[in-house]
Amino acid sequence: MKILCIYHSETGNTHSVMEEISRATGAEMLRVRDRAGYGKVTMYIRGIPRALRGTHAAIEPDAIDLSGYDLVILGSPVWASRPTPAANAMIQALKNCLGKKALLVCTSGGGPGETLTLMENHAKERGMEVAGSFHVRFSMRGDRNQEEMAALIQAVTKLAEA
């Protein structure tokens, strides 16, 4: 089974989760970048209000072809209890996604808020079959919750074997 992790990450937390999935399962990785080019301050000043409004960022790449992949893992940080504008645009940029299985992943220092629900709605609107959703928490030191990470890896492995 061919697996692709598609994600947005500004601070590196979501990136580290996707790297671990890739190491454990052989999944390919595609990092989506927001053309706004946030810094630490502008991420909060400009990015958070855009996330609250549910806007879509201009992203690179602006089209993502899923033909040839069986499972897609979509990842986003949690900004103000929502997916990032780049993650919203990422899901809209998917091509040939009808009927594809998707796992949704969000990362944060707190709770997921509405992030996974909104990502699921967007993925289903694109015709994807959502097979599960996961939240991986990070501590203030940057350590991720190992139990949540293990459950995510187990789910990906189980879907890959099916």
Side-chain angles (χ1 to χ4, degrees):
M1 172 177 274
K2 279 195 79 167
I3 305 168
L4 178 62
C5 298
I6 309 168
Y7 64 98
H8 173 239
S9 183
E10 286 291 331
T11 65
N13 289 342
T14 306
H15 176 75
S16 73
V17 168
M18 295 300 172
E19 274 187 324
E20 189 163 333
I21 292 169
S22 179
R23 278 193 302 272
T25 66
E28 294 178 33
M29 294 174 45
L30 176 63
R31 186 173 188 166
V32 171
R33 300 199 186 276
D34 189 324
R35 289 184 183 156
Y38 298 112
K40 287 190 180 215
V41 173
T42 57
M43 182 170 54
Y44 294 101
I45 294 172
R46 292 186 330 191
I48 300 278
R50 292 176 67 214
L52 283 168
R53 290 191 303 272
T55 61
H56 295 207
I59 60 169
E60 293 176 7
D62 59 4
I64 304 164
D65 187 3
L66 298 183
S67 56
Y69 294 98
D70 305 298
L71 175 62
V72 180
I73 301 165
L74 301 171
S76 175
V78 175
W79 285 8
S81 298
R82 296 173 182 261
T84 66
N88 291 332
M90 169 183 83
I91 296 171
Q92 287 301 308
L94 300 176
K95 307 292 181 216
N96 300 308
C97 55
L98 188 63
K100 297 285 181 181
K101 283 188 182 171
L103 275 181
L104 310 176
V105 178
C106 69
T107 61
S108 71
E114 298 177 80
T115 305
L116 293 169
T117 301
L118 292 168
M119 289 176 70
E120 181 173 353
N121 291 343
H122 295 319
K124 285 182 175 178
E125 287 169 3
R126 305 284 296 134
M128 300 182 85
E129 176 190 326
V130 176
S133 58
F134 295 85
H135 174 240
V136 179
R137 279 182 296 227
F138 279 77
S139 72
M140 293 297 284
R141 292 187 320 248
D143 301 322
R144 66 178 160 250
N145 183 297
Q146 291 305 313
E147 290 175 11
E148 293 167 348
M149 194 67 222
L152 171 56
I153 296 291
Q154 182 179 17
V156 175
T157 303
K158 192 174 187 176
L159 283 170
E161 292 171 352

